[in-house]
Amino acid sequence: MAPANPPAWLLTAARRRIVDRLRAEAVAARKLPLLAVEASLQEEAQAFMADTDEPLVDERLRLVLLCAHPSLAPESAAALTLRLVLGVPTEDVARLFLVPTPTMAARLTRARKSLAGRSFEVPADLGPRVGLVADVAYLAFTAGYAPGSGPDVVRAELAGEAVRLVRVLRAVVPYTEVELEALLALMLLQHSRRDARVADGRLVLLPDQDRTRWRTDEITEALALLRPWLDAPPSPYLLQALIAAEHAIARSAEETAWDRIVLRYAELEELTGSPVVRLNRAVAVAEAAGPAAGLAVLDGLVLPGHRLPATRAELLARLGRVEEAVTAYDEAIGRCANQAERAHLVERVSSLRRPPG
């Protein structure tokens, strides 16, 4: 059907086409510097891979060290490494840093821009960057076993890459450091459970896992790494590794030494002040002293994501406060972006809504 005023229609259509073109060019102009930075990093990666005489023979570690540039704040360097080098989705990086996704996207943009034109030489003294690389590796490991988005129950390949990264880091650092030893032990203990974490594509929680499927060789290696440091002053990775070791040496979920785990979490929370540690302590307290005691630990705690309401829902359900538990589960489901975890939560709330008998 012809328009009532063809000349006016043509003029309007042309004007809109020009505006759309200008907008597209403006967006492209804004993205070009970011693309240039990422291309620069990729070129660096290819150059390192071709350089067989470089003492740091692991390409992934080199890139992580490069992203740990002193011009960046540690949090920005860690986030950039996770996104750019290890390929962790921006949404999951944001969850790991307990910030909204748009905030993390803006932080990554600023970090990429600030690296433009910088020198990317591998430092002769690795010492100042070792701690950051270790933290990045553990964040990547966490993203592998607690993916915040997508269909995967776990991303064992990403977790395995993080383990390898720590092994290479230990090999090139010319001294023995308790936190590196403890970090590798922690990762091995958690990684050893990978075959038991999933059954028929569904998430299997720690108490329900088939412990005969845990990899005893990795547990043995981890315990040997920890043995020399049992009397060392408490430090974050050491305390976390000792907690993981308690689960590894328990022959069943019922035989877990929850009282010792509660004490370790209390030390860790005092050391770090982390709300995530407090959430984990609440779970341990609930196992040791009952769900009401666990709920008391959660009072006043604020955390993004679904794990806080999911934990509160589980403890409320154990206390028989079904309506409150259902409300908390609904909140957790609304916040959960991982399909496997969401399915688990839906199943739990459905079981509560199901009439008895």
Side-chain angles (χ1 to χ4, degrees), residues 81-92:
T81 305
L82 288 169
R83 181 69 193 97
L84 212 55
V85 181
L86 298 174
V88 179
T90 300
E91 182 178 355
D92 291 352

Side-chain angles (χ1 to χ4, degrees), residues 145-192:
Y145 280 119
S149 61
D152 299 328
V153 182
V154 297
R155 297 170 187 161
E157 183 177 334
L158 175 60
E161 175 62 24
V163 173
R164 188 183 67 81
L165 186 63
V166 173
R167 287 192 185 279
V168 175
L169 183 61
R170 286 176 69 246
V172 299
V173 171
Y175 51 84
T176 302
E177 183 175 311
V178 58
E179 280 290 79
L180 266 185
E181 300 292 292
L183 175 58
L184 180 57
L186 169 62
M187 295 166 85
L188 286 172
L189 289 167
Q190 294 177 338
H191 200 47
S192 70

Side-chain angles (χ1 to χ4, degrees), residues 18-40:
I18 292 170
V19 170
D20 289 343
R21 179 64 178 270
L22 290 174
R23 284 175 179 167
E25 290 179 353
V27 170
R30 287 196 299 270
K31 288 185 176 181
L32 278 176
L34 306 184
L35 296 174
V37 171
E38 294 195 16
S40 173

Side-chain angles (χ1 to χ4, degrees), residues 251-338:
R251 289 178 294 181
S252 67
E254 293 73 25
E255 294 180 55
T256 305
W258 287 106
D259 54 341
R260 290 203 297 264
I261 290 176
V262 168
L263 292 175
R264 296 294 189 192
Y265 271 128
E267 286 184 274
L268 186 59
E269 185 178 2
E270 184 177 356
L271 200 62
T272 65
S274 167
V276 175
V277 172
R278 184 173 162 190
L279 176 65
N280 291 331
R281 181 167 70 87
V283 173
V285 168
E287 295 293 340
L295 276 174
V297 176
L298 294 179
D299 283 347
L301 182 61
V302 177
L303 266 176
H306 69 280
R307 287 189 170 81
L308 174 57
T311 301
R312 184 175 282 117
E314 179 63 28
L315 298 183
L316 288 167
R318 292 186 193 181
L319 288 170
R321 294 159 60 177
V322 175
E323 290 187 9
E324 294 174 83
V326 167
T327 299
Y329 269 125
D330 285 342
E331 180 185 354
I333 290 167
R335 293 187 185 185
C336 185
N338 179 266

